[in-house]
Amino acid sequence: MTVKNSILDVLDGKPAEVPPVWMMRQAGRYLPEYRELRAKAGSFLELCFTPEMATEVTLQPVRRFGFDAAILFSDILVIPHALGQTVRFEAGEGPRLEPLGDAAAIDRLPEAVDDDVLSPVYETVRRAKAALDPKVALLGFCGAPWTVATYMVAGHGTPDQAPARLLAYREPEVFQRLIDRLVTCSITYLHNQIRAGADAVQLFDTWAGVLPPEEFRRWCLEPAARIAEGLRRLVPGARIIGFPRGAGAGLADYVAQVPVNAVSVDWAVDRTVIRERIQPKVAIQGNLDPLALLAGGDALDRSVDAVLEAFSAGRFIFNLGHGILPETPLAHVERMLARVRALG
Ligand code: CP3
């Protein structure tokens, strides 16, 4: 399959005739070649920190499907790891961290990440960039401070992010210090990814949707604005995609105040509102329901058509509303791509 359009053009403000397409979590367990390498790699973090393997995993989905972008293979939790917090990934259980139990634990975190720990990630970016067709964009990323903090405070994934929300209510100054630390680290981390060859970066705020408006503003919007502004001071043309998942009505303020080139939207948004109020300001990325992709068949076709109908006349990057589910059949991904590219 040939790459017809560049994500970078869309991020720079030019709509594409056929929307460029990639998928969140495109490098992962739904791919047999990923599972094979993962089995050989030992721990998940070892896979993230071994440039040879991480580069291979970054390239796998592009090789198989001809996506218009590759996303660096790593994880948002490499930042807590580089801050000295113990991070493990247990098969079938998700991440396990030594929880930051109190103010003292938060204040003990170092000012900056250990660059020796993160340098293999930058090496992966360099290698992936060198191996990719220049028409394929290479995306770097990090977790947004709020989402990373939810894992650092709880020590694991939680259904409602209650531990971090409680800490933010009970001891806002302490929580602010954690967020501030993550803002600084994220700017450096993304800057280094861009210097190593990333064409654009995505800020994943997976758990933005659980906060009331004032808390969303303080813990999601303001830190994202400081990261985007800080990065743009270092790299004036830095291309940034924000993903404040579930931000709902908060999305208008987010695009007004965070200097992003695009926002990624989940599948529950009101498409008319997004098209009329948000797409004129920034490019839209998303918003196929990952369960429609898993279901396949007519449901998938109808869902793809609805997304295209809503957004393809403007600046748009076709993607899922969240990561692809590991049990998704490869044939459904092929079917989705064929339908998107039939526009051309
Ligand atoms: O293909 C890509 O998107 C690039 C790599 C990538 C991974 N994680 C690899 C991964 C990216 C961009 C992420 C982001 C990430 N990681 C987020 C934000 C986006 C989202 O999906 O919400 C979050 C919250 C995490 C934290 C994380 N990492 C969790 C909660 C888990 C366990 C749950 C799960 O899906 O397994 C991980 C592990 C992880 N990160 C895997 C992969 C491929 C699976 C682990 C394995 O292969 O053993």
Side-chain angles (χ1 to χ4, degrees):
M1 240 176 260
T2 51
V3 178
K4 293 181 187 157
N5 288 285
S6 168
I7 285 177
L8 304 184
D9 281 348
V10 174
L11 293 176
D12 291 340
K14 284 165 261 164
E17 213 169 293
V18 177
V21 46
W22 68 283
M23 297 190 306
M24 288 190 257
R25 288 284 178 100
Q26 66 185 20
R29 285 162 296 184
Y30 75 107
L31 287 177
E33 57 270 37
Y34 172 83
R35 293 194 300 268
E36 196 182 309
L37 208 128
R38 173 78 181 82
K40 286 191 207 139
S43 75
F44 176 72
L45 280 181
E46 214 169 307
L47 181 56
C48 292
F49 288 127
T50 308
E52 196 184 0
M53 289 192 287
T55 305
E56 169 58 21
V57 174
T58 301
L59 300 174
Q60 282 173 347
V62 176
R63 215 180 273 142
R64 183 184 275 271
F65 296 115
F67 287 119
D68 296 288
I71 180 160
L72 161 70
F73 186 78
S74 182
D75 196 82
I76 65 167
L77 300 178
V78 300
I79 290 292
H81 173 74
L83 283 169
Q85 198 176 6
T86 311
V87 179
R88 286 176 300 125
F89 287 84
E90 306 287 350
E93 278 185 42
R96 289 285 178 275
L97 299 80
E98 188 63 49
L100 293 177
D102 52 19
I106 287 174
D107 290 330
R108 268 198 305 274
L109 289 171
E111 285 293 325
V113 288
D114 183 342
D115 250 339
D116 287 346
V117 175
L118 294 177
S119 63
V121 176
Y122 309 137
E123 177 59 19
T124 301
V125 173
R126 274 188 289 276
R127 289 182 186 211
K129 181 69 186 166
L132 280 170
D133 182 322
K135 282 187 190 156
V136 179
L138 177 59
L139 308 179
F141 73 92
C142 74
W146 161 250
T147 288
V148 175
T150 64
Y151 291 96
M152 293 178 82
V153 171
H156 52 86
T158 49
D160 52 7
Q161 295 70 54
R165 284 161 65 197
L166 279 172
L167 180 63
Y169 283 128
R170 287 180 176 144
E171 300 191 76
E173 297 79 17
V174 171
F175 194 67
Q176 185 75 58
R177 290 201 290 277
L178 174 58
I179 294 291
D180 290 348
R181 188 70 42 97
L182 291 169
V183 165
T184 317
C185 295
S186 303
I187 294 171
T188 311
Y189 184 49
L190 294 177
H191 182 212
N192 286 338
Q193 291 181 32
I194 290 173
R195 284 203 296 199
D199 298 301
V201 292
Q202 178 156 322
L203 192 59
F204 283 91
D205 213 350
T206 304
W207 303 124
V210 297
L211 296 174
E214 314 74 47
E215 300 284 298
F216 170 77
R217 167 170 299 282
R218 180 163 184 188
W219 307 123
C220 297
L221 192 156
E222 284 174 10
R226 285 163 59 202
I227 291 172
E229 283 159 9
L231 195 57
R232 288 271 176 82
R233 267 194 292 277
L234 296 165
V235 185
R239 299 182 186 96
I240 306 166
I241 305 169
F243 181 37
R245 189 168 78 103
L251 200 59
D253 280 347
Y254 188 93
V255 299
Q257 290 168 43
V258 185
V260 290
N261 302 69
V263 279
S264 207
V265 294
D266 61 76
W267 58 89
V269 294
D270 181 329
R271 294 197 183 101
T272 308
V273 171
I274 301 293
R275 181 178 61 236
E276 291 176 358
R277 308 225 182 112
I278 310 290
Q279 200 174 24
K281 302 198 169 84
V282 296
I284 301 301
Q285 175 178 278
N287 79 328
L288 187 75
D289 184 350
L291 280 178
L293 184 61
L294 174 54
D298 287 347
L300 173 58
D301 292 350
R302 281 197 307 275
S303 303
V304 169
D305 291 352
V307 172
L308 290 173
E309 196 187 307
F311 300 124
S312 66
R315 289 174 282 172
F316 180 53
I317 298 166
F318 194 95
N319 203 317
L320 304 179
H322 196 195
I324 183 170
L325 296 159
E327 54 276 36
T328 307
L330 299 173
H332 296 187
V333 178
E334 295 280 9
R335 185 174 179 134
M336 172 193 85
L337 281 169
R339 208 157 176 98
V340 174
R341 289 176 168 163
L343 276 188

